[in-house]
Each structure stands twice: as C-alpha cells, then as structure tokens.
Amino acid sequence: MKVVTILATLIVAIIALAACAPAATPVPPPAPTNPPAPTSAPAPTTAPAPTTAPAASSPAASITLKLGPGRDGDQTPGTVVLTAQGNQTQVVLNLTSGGAGVSQPAHIHDGTCPTVGGVKFPLTNVVDGASTTVVNAPLASLLTGSFAVNVHKSTSQAGVYVACVNIPQGTVINLGPGRDGDQTPAVAVLLAQGTQTQVLINMTSGGAGVAQPAHIHVGACPDVGAVKYPLTNVVDGKSVTTVSAALADLLAGGYSINVHKSTTQAAIYVACGAVK
C-alpha cells in the first residue's frame, strides 16, 4: 500500500512539472529559396533588308519623229518615240488631244504619208493624246523607209486620218570597245534625210559633263584612219549630228564611228563600230 502511494505521488508530480514547463517555440521551416529569374534570351536581331540598287538601264537606240497632218485632218503638234527593246520596239505617241476620253486608233502602216497602206502593227489607241505600245519587231526592221505611223480620228471615224509621220530609212549600229578602252554598251542610229544623214549616239556616260569627241572615220575598228565627218561631242552619253552625206554613201564607203575619251585625251579610243 505504501508503494502504491509513492508511485501515485510521483505521477502527480510529473504531470505538474509538465504543466508548468514553457511551451516549446516551433521552429519555422526555412524560407524557400527562390530560383534565380530565368535569363531571357536576347530578342533576335533582324538584319536590315539589303538595299538593292536599281539596275542601270543600258543605253538604247531611240529616235523621235515629229507628227504631221493626216490625210484628212491635223491633230498636231505631236511626236512618236521609237525605242529599241531587244527584238521589240516601244512606240510612244504624244499629240494634241482629240477630245477628253476619245479613243483614237493608231497603227504602223505600210506605205508613206498621207495615203498610207494596210496596217502592219496595231498600236494602243490614243486616249487624251497619249499611247504606249511594245510591238514585236526590232527597231532596225522598222527602219526600211516603207512604214508610217498614222492616227485616226476615233473608233467610229477610223477612215479619217488626223496625224501621220513616215518612219525614215536607217540603220542601227552596236558599238564595241575602242582601241584603248571600253565605254560600252553604246549604240548609234543613222537616219536618212535626203542628201544628209542624222547620226544619233547613245552610250555609257564618260563622266558628268565630260565632252568626248566623236567622228566618222575612214577604215575599220579598232585602228581607224583619218576623220571623214566630225560629229557633235558626246556629252553625258549622248550626241546628235546631221552630216552632209547620204546614208547610202556612208553605208557603201568603209567607214567607222569612233568615240574618244575626252577633248584632252583624244588619242584614247573608247568605243568603235563599223557603219553598215
């Protein structure tokens, strides 16, 4: 009995001590470690689109003709510009308007003005005085002296001819390198004008404003002979001259067109082509 009393007393003491002990302070869990923010990959750099320089257009053979009255009327002034485009030719008409919105047929005809023959190549109708067409014929093939450009009054009055011009006889000459240099591409057009010949040169420029002597020489390229006919200096790639010789004589005479580098370097030949 005594032992039981002792045990009971011990248990009561232990319970009392436990009740008086301070409550344990809970240890907070460690704060979670935030992972480093992901490094954003740099935005891809878009390379600027390459700037493509416009292709330089090669000098082209081109002639400008002045429209005259037609067989039945006069809707001038006006011009026709024929420009070589390889095996085709661009034909651009500009003349006094035949009336706002009026559609006027136009053609390259066989024959000569004012009483032209049949249609050889139809052209885009002239409207408000303008028309542009590309025909399937090289310029040289039109320079036979047997064609004319004719404009009609309207689609309902196509029998009334109001403007016309003959396409002259001529030849197209592609110039090659000269004896001492190469300023090509270059082209010359020779057009018959009765006992005279108009000579047009269109070539790569030798420099802004640079005057380049040009001549029709005796002999063949590249070592041409003496000057037979002086031509207007080529400036910015262009020259127009009328020489006192018939086209037929030039074509039969064994001549060449020769262009020199500059007035101070006339002994340097930069483009040359046989007249044929």
Side-chain angles (χ1 to χ4, degrees):
M1 187 68 170
K2 190 174 182 177
V3 173
V4 173
T5 302
I6 294 171
L7 287 174
T9 303
L10 287 173
I11 291 170
V12 170
I14 291 171
I15 292 171
L17 287 173
C20 295
T25 303
V27 179
T33 303
N34 292 328
T39 303
S40 299
T45 303
T46 303
T51 302
T52 304
S57 57
S58 297
S62 183
I63 64 173
T64 300
L65 308 175
K66 184 178 179 181
L67 283 164
R71 183 192 63 190
D72 312 298
D74 186 356
Q75 196 178 312
T76 58
T79 60
V80 180
V81 180
L82 287 80
T83 303
Q85 293 187 346
N87 290 324
Q88 298 179 312
T89 302
Q90 183 187 66
V91 182
V92 177
L93 285 84
N94 281 287
L95 66 158
T96 303
S97 173
V102 174
S103 184
Q104 300 183 255
H107 310 91
I108 295 176
H109 290 254
D110 288 316
T112 56
C113 303
T115 308
V116 294
V119 172
K120 183 68 175 180
F121 299 102
L123 303 176
T124 304
N125 287 359
V126 176
V127 178
D128 298 330
S131 165
T132 299
T133 314
V134 175
V135 300
N136 288 319
L139 177 60
S141 72
L142 300 177
L143 300 178
T144 62
S146 58
F147 298 118
V149 176
N150 189 55
V151 181
H152 307 252
K153 186 171 183 179
S154 67
T155 53
S156 61
Q157 294 177 291
V160 179
Y161 301 169
V162 295
C164 194
V165 63
N166 295 326
I167 301 175
Q169 181 185 6
T171 187
V172 178
I173 301 169
N174 290 310
L175 305 181
R179 183 190 66 192
D180 313 297
D182 186 355
Q183 197 176 310
T184 58
V187 64
V189 180
L190 278 63
L191 301 175
Q193 294 186 340
T195 59
Q196 298 181 313
T197 302
Q198 186 180 56
V199 181
L200 303 96
I201 298 174
N202 195 1
M203 63 189 296
T204 303
S205 174
V210 174
Q212 299 183 254
H215 309 90
I216 295 176
H217 290 252
V218 177
C221 302
D223 292 305
V224 294
V227 172
K228 182 67 176 180
Y229 300 101
L231 302 176
T232 303
N233 286 354
V234 177
V235 178
D236 298 329
K238 297 183 183 300
S239 167
V240 179
T241 315
T242 299
V243 300
S244 296
L247 177 63
D249 294 337
L250 294 177
L251 294 176
Y255 300 119
S256 297
I257 294 176
N258 189 55
V259 181
H260 308 252
K261 186 171 184 179
S262 67
T263 53
T264 59
Q265 295 175 293
I268 298 176
Y269 302 168
V270 294
C272 194
V275 177
K276 58 183 180 179

